[in-house]
Amino acid sequence: MKLAFLLETALFGLAAASSCPFGHDQHKWQKPRPEDRRPPCPGLNVLANHCWLPRNGKDIDLATLRTAVSGAYNYERHSFDDAFHQALEFNLSTTGNSSTFHLSDLRWHDTVEFDGSLSRNDAYFGDNIHFNPASWATVAERLNLYEAGECGEDKYVTVETAAKARAARVEDAKKINPMFNNSVNAMQGSPGTTALYLTTLWDDEAEAVPKTWVKSFFEDERIPYIEGYKPPQKPRNGADILNMNKRVLAVKA
């Protein structure tokens, strides 16, 4: 573990010293500032941290979202139109413009956000926006995220592993949160978030997701360029997410 930490630190140092750290051109990765708006969603945070969405997280419109998901992840431009409109239909926006929202508007409980998040605490305990190491640690352990096997062969998160880790996280949350919400929205959304990160980071050749990609995506909230990520050659879309969701739901916990 210590050697891995030293190697990772060195890798970060080399990347930071290059002309193109953690991305390219205007899409270099930067940590958010205290005043920047962020939601509970790692995928949207990644886009803002790389300036595919505004770094301040404010006034997100549909055209901006389309450009972001297409440019960063090579999703078809209209893949998240329904999700965008749904967020507006929840009347969450505080921008004063009915066609935009701030990323932090998505924090409201049991709308876009729900209990049993992979990387956030439940709203009942206070902060449901920021990355919660304790919540994520239980998921990371079940993903066996920091182990790669004796010969490095165990490098991937499979659908089965991801689905079981998600289900276990939900059960953990139910045990400690006396106000855990079993709403239809939450029970549909929870496996959907796992399907979304798997689809976004999916390695077609491996038929799985590299553990290093999952780690950087959730823990650093950055696109794992230095770990080898490249957007897929063929654009992905909502149908791909739905198909992955079916695979996640088919796994018996």
Side-chain angles (χ1 to χ4, degrees), residues 1 9 12 27 31 70 73 120 150 168 178 188 214 235:
M1 291 291 291
T9 301
F12 269 71
H27 298 295
K31 286 185 178 181
S70 174
Y73 303 137
R120 267 62 181 170
E150 293 182 3
Q188 292 178 344
V214 175

Side-chain angles (χ1 to χ4, degrees), residues 26 79 81 226 230 251:
Q26 70 268 36
S79 298
D81 284 13
I226 61 175
K230 294 181 180 179
V251 175

Side-chain angles (χ1 to χ4, degrees), residues 217-239:
F217 192 80
F218 279 92
E219 297 181 10
D220 301 325
E221 294 189 336
R222 63 176 176 83
I223 299 173
Y225 292 124
I226 61 175
E227 291 83 4
Y229 171 84
K230 294 181 180 179
Q233 292 185 347
K234 179 182 177 181
R236 291 172 181 157
N237 55 37

Side-chain angles (χ1 to χ4, degrees), residues 3 5 11 25 44 48 58 65 98 110 119-120 125-126 137 162 175-176 190 203 229 249:
L3 177 59
F5 173 78
L11 185 60
D25 301 328
L44 291 175
K58 296 180 180 180
L65 180 65
S98 61
D110 201 32
S119 60
R120 267 62 181 170
F125 299 105
K175 291 175 183 177
I176 63 174
S190 179
D203 185 325
Y229 171 84
L249 291 171

Side-chain angles (χ1 to χ4, degrees), residues 33 73 114-115 163 169-170 178-179 182 197 227 237 247:
R33 301 164 299 178
Y73 303 137
F114 44 80
D115 289 331
R169 166 68 183 122
V170 169
M179 298 297 291
N182 278 303
Y197 89 75
E227 291 83 4
N237 55 37
R247 294 179 64 179

Side-chain angles (χ1 to χ4, degrees), residues 115-190:
D115 289 331
S117 165
L118 297 176
S119 60
R120 267 62 181 170
N121 216 342
D122 289 355
Y124 173 81
F125 299 105
D127 182 5
N128 65 338
I129 296 180
H130 299 96
F131 177 78
N132 183 266
S135 297
W136 173 247
T138 64
V139 177
E141 181 179 2
R142 287 165 174 137
L143 295 176
N144 200 21
L145 205 58
Y146 306 110
E147 300 295 335
E150 293 182 3
C151 298
E153 70 276 7
D154 185 19
K155 298 186 294 184
Y156 298 97
V157 172
T158 64
V159 174
E160 181 178 8
T161 304
K164 290 183 176 180
R166 180 213 66 84
R169 166 68 183 122
V170 169
E171 291 305 310
D172 287 347
K174 287 180 180 179
K175 291 175 183 177
I176 63 174
N177 181 358
M179 298 297 291
F180 186 92
N181 194 332
N182 278 303
S183 68
V184 173
N185 175 57
M187 293 303 99
Q188 292 178 344
S190 179

